[in-house]
Amino acid sequence: MYFAALLARTEDGWEASDTELDDVETLSDLTDLAREASVDEDTVLVYIEQEDAWFGVLRVDGEEDPRIYVSDASAAARSSYGEILLTDELLGREPGAEDEIAALEELVDLDGTEDGEPEEPRSGAGGGAAVSEPDLDHDPDAVPAGPLGDLGVLADLGLSEKDLLTLRTDALAEIADVLGAAEVLEAVR
């Protein structure tokens, strides 16, 4: 089960609302949703959690690039909402690299033979050329387990990097408590 909330800072404190993510497909969509809730381009936090698996925080400050923290990237990668937060940049990948590789694989026969030429059987201990095995320890598409992103995303709001890393269940309540937004959040839950 998912829960998403939006916390927008105003002159009078924080405003909270639960958020539907049905129409959100990309990080840009989510960032636009946050900016629409912004008052005078002030800070907006979008919180997404999958119960007992992971949570993520997207922070938008005016027109600045969004800042993202995900508590468990590998768990989030198995979630459609988590995939929104796990951008190529956050994962340390070249943007669009997957699309380029797929296109190249379609254009080029990568088995090393000419078209129509039979593949040579792989030889083992019986001599012949050695065939190198793929590096199974390094998968460029692998998503790391554990926290990923901007650990200081909430530091200036009172939640240190160390405290952020220790949050597990009901992290939103703890974040809202630090921000002084616990009452307004409880009203929307």
Side-chain angles (χ1 to χ4, degrees):
M1 179 153 140
Y2 293 95
F3 177 74
L6 196 134
L7 294 169
R9 186 163 50 184
T10 68
E11 288 180 6
D12 302 324
W14 291 90
E15 290 181 7
S17 60
D18 59 343
T19 304
E20 280 297 319
L21 299 177
D22 294 340
D23 297 330
V24 174
E25 295 180 8
T26 65
L27 180 61
S28 287
D29 294 342
L30 190 59
T31 302
D32 290 344
L33 180 74
R35 285 192 175 118
E36 288 170 11
S38 176
V39 177
D40 296 326
E41 296 189 4
D42 214 340
T43 301
V44 177
L45 303 174
V46 179
Y47 176 89
I48 304 170
E49 82 177 12
Q50 182 179 5
E51 194 170 291
D52 297 329
W54 66 274
F55 72 89
V57 176
L58 171 84
R59 178 177 177 165
V60 177
D61 293 297
E63 291 300 317
E64 292 181 27
D65 287 341
R67 297 168 58 192
I68 302 167
Y69 171 79
V70 177
S71 66
D72 186 337
S74 64
R78 295 185 295 270
S79 154
S80 59
Y81 295 128
E83 287 180 341
I84 293 170
L85 297 175
L86 296 174
T87 63
D88 285 338
E89 183 179 341
L90 189 68
L91 292 168
R93 298 179 185 155
E94 187 69 33
E98 290 176 16
D99 297 336
E100 290 175 19
I101 291 169
L104 287 173
E105 286 174 348
E106 285 182 24
L107 294 174
V108 178
D109 185 8
L110 296 179
D111 68 2
T113 63
E114 295 290 328
D115 284 343
E117 194 178 298
E119 277 189 60
E120 293 182 26
R122 294 179 182 222
S123 56
V131 177
S132 65
E133 293 297 316
D135 183 4
L136 299 176
D137 292 333
H138 178 69
D139 180 1
D141 294 330
V143 176
L148 186 66
D150 186 346
L151 293 175
V153 69
L154 301 172
D156 65 322
L157 299 174
L159 190 70
S160 71
E161 293 177 13
K162 180 183 172 190
D163 291 338
L164 183 63
L165 287 170
T166 62
L167 296 178
R168 295 289 173 246
T169 58
D170 206 20
L172 179 57
E174 293 184 46
I175 291 170
D177 190 44
V178 169
L179 299 176
E183 289 181 22
V184 294
L185 177 64
E186 196 57 42
V188 299
R189 270 196 152 174

